Amino acid sequence: MREGSLEAPIRHPLDWRSDDFYDDAKLDAEMRRVFDICHTCRRCFNLCDSFPRLFDLIDESKSGELDTVASADFKKVVDACTLCDMCFMSKCPYVPPHEFNIDFPHLILRYRAVEAKKNGVPAVDRALADTDRYGNWATLISGAANWATRRDNAMMRGLEEKVAGVDRNAELPKYASKTLEAQAASHPPMRDESAPAKARKAVLYATCYGDYNDTSIGMSALAVLARNGVETKVVHPACCGMPKLEQGMLDDVAKAARKVAAAFAPYIDEGYDIVAPVPSCALMLKFEWPLILPEDESVKRLAKATFDLSEYVVDIARKEGLAEGMTPLNGGVAFHVSCHSRAQNIGQKGAELLALIPEADVAVVERCSGHGGAWGYKKGNFETAMKVGKPAARQLQNADKKHVVSECPLAGLHIEQEIETLGGETPKPERVGHPIVLMARAYGLSNP
């Protein structure tokens, strides 16, 4: 038996449609097998709050071993997992193909799927995961929605905390008054058909956040791609399902995967690349969906055709070369590498994109923001999210750059709030939604 694995990690498809997947006794046996290996290793002690909770349960048990930890207490470990994938991708020496076959995030996902099937998902959590429904109506009443979710709106935030379990102190995303799809239709960027990448065609998968919240990311992407000759379209068939994946709603995620894959299939047939501006969404299309529907050919084709936004721009730079005309980026940028960017196993493509801007002074911080999607907004999680992300915020603040950016917009918003709490006399950096926004500025391309 080897101590660790030198091979690249692989993941097995989720057997979520089998009865064994939902068998309580078999789940408990697998939880105990994996947790015991984690206990003897403890390499992941500083990644998130799941592992400290697990190790405390064991250390404080009667025997000091897992055998005297009650199975009911495993939920404390499960509840702290954000499905960031960093234990699998960067820490665990026992992931497949190692014979121990440890995939901690997917074990947590299985636990949540079993809980969802047995007890259902609470109505509030189902609502928070239905990002398309709420995004569509919130953009129609964005002024009222943004007023109601402001941190300084004590009355409304107190009500939201009581009814929806959203911590009153968490900074929440603002809603756009016009979706990305609508903005792109009314203000299409002028395409330079003589630019180096003129032979490329790309569909920008708007994503929920890009369509309903921060449209500057998508509009900047369209502008940069058009400047480089890429023929672009904006399409948003449905949410990628990441919020529902976090709740263990695997059947709903599979339905979303089939719907989105079917919508993108004609574009792939016509030679379009699919570009996702949010790392979590790219991760779903590239990796999670093929593990949930391994037999679905449309899902597999979509996975092969999908690029993360930074990955796509860097690919253009390497293969065709970028169009000239960028001006220097003054003041430097502190770049946060989000967990779901790292989980795609494509390297630090956001940092590589920033380095393409003339005179870019880039400081890279590769630590978790602590946010974990909707997890970090919830009452009971927000303080933990702030604690986990504090080291990243401190490093970004100490980098002393004019700008701070993360490819994950929710992580960036959370980091901005964490930096606010650090105090000190160092000027607070300007947060931008994505590295592509800074590249658009360097080209002199403004958003409508």
Side-chain angles (χ1 to χ4, degrees), residues 70-244:
S71 296
D73 288 335
F74 291 169
K75 192 173 189 309
K76 299 175 185 177
V77 179
V78 172
D79 287 348
C81 178
T82 65
L83 298 182
C84 74
D85 272 350
M86 285 303 96
C87 56
F88 183 90
M89 290 301 301
S90 68
K91 286 283 188 177
C92 183
Y94 303 125
V95 299
H98 191 277
E99 59 194 292
F100 284 177
N101 192 29
I102 303 297
D103 189 335
F104 190 93
H106 279 181
L107 177 63
I108 298 300
L109 179 59
R110 179 182 176 186
Y111 185 104
R112 290 177 180 170
V114 171
E115 287 289 293
K117 187 169 185 178
K118 284 172 51 181
N119 306 320
V121 176
V124 167
D125 289 333
R126 292 190 72 91
L128 289 173
D130 198 351
T131 50
D132 277 326
R133 174 178 295 180
Y134 285 94
N136 274 310
W137 70 255
T139 54
L140 297 176
I141 55 167
S142 59
N146 293 336
W147 169 81
T149 55
R150 279 169 35 186
R151 260 195 294 162
D152 60 1
N153 191 335
M155 180 186 70
M156 291 302 298
R157 289 303 299 269
L159 180 64
E160 290 155 15
E161 183 177 273
K162 183 176 181 180
V163 174
V166 175
D167 195 293
R168 67 181 69 198
N169 296 310
E171 185 71 31
L172 300 178
K174 300 295 185 285
Y175 284 96
S177 60
K178 199 174 181 181
T179 66
L180 173 62
E181 291 173 286
Q183 289 184 40
S186 60
H187 295 86
M190 184 69 68
R191 179 184 170 218
D192 184 353
E193 297 185 20
S194 65
K198 60 183 180 293
R200 291 194 183 222
K201 299 189 293 184
V203 171
L204 188 70
Y205 175 36
T207 73
C208 300
Y209 192 93
D211 208 25
Y212 310 125
N213 299 106
D214 187 356
T215 58
S216 72
I217 301 171
M219 292 303 291
S220 295
L222 292 173
V224 169
L225 292 176
R227 177 69 180 81
N228 282 277
V230 182
E231 178 187 331
T232 57
K233 298 178 184 292
V234 178
V235 179
H236 183 67
C239 173
C240 71
M242 174 61 83
K244 294 181 178 180

Side-chain angles (χ1 to χ4, degrees), residues 301-323:
R301 287 184 69 223
L302 176 57
K304 292 178 181 178
T306 297
F307 292 81
D308 179 272
L309 174 55
S310 294
E311 176 189 20
Y312 194 65
V313 175
V314 170
D315 192 62
I316 292 173
R318 288 179 176 175
K319 293 179 179 176
E320 292 96 348
L322 291 180

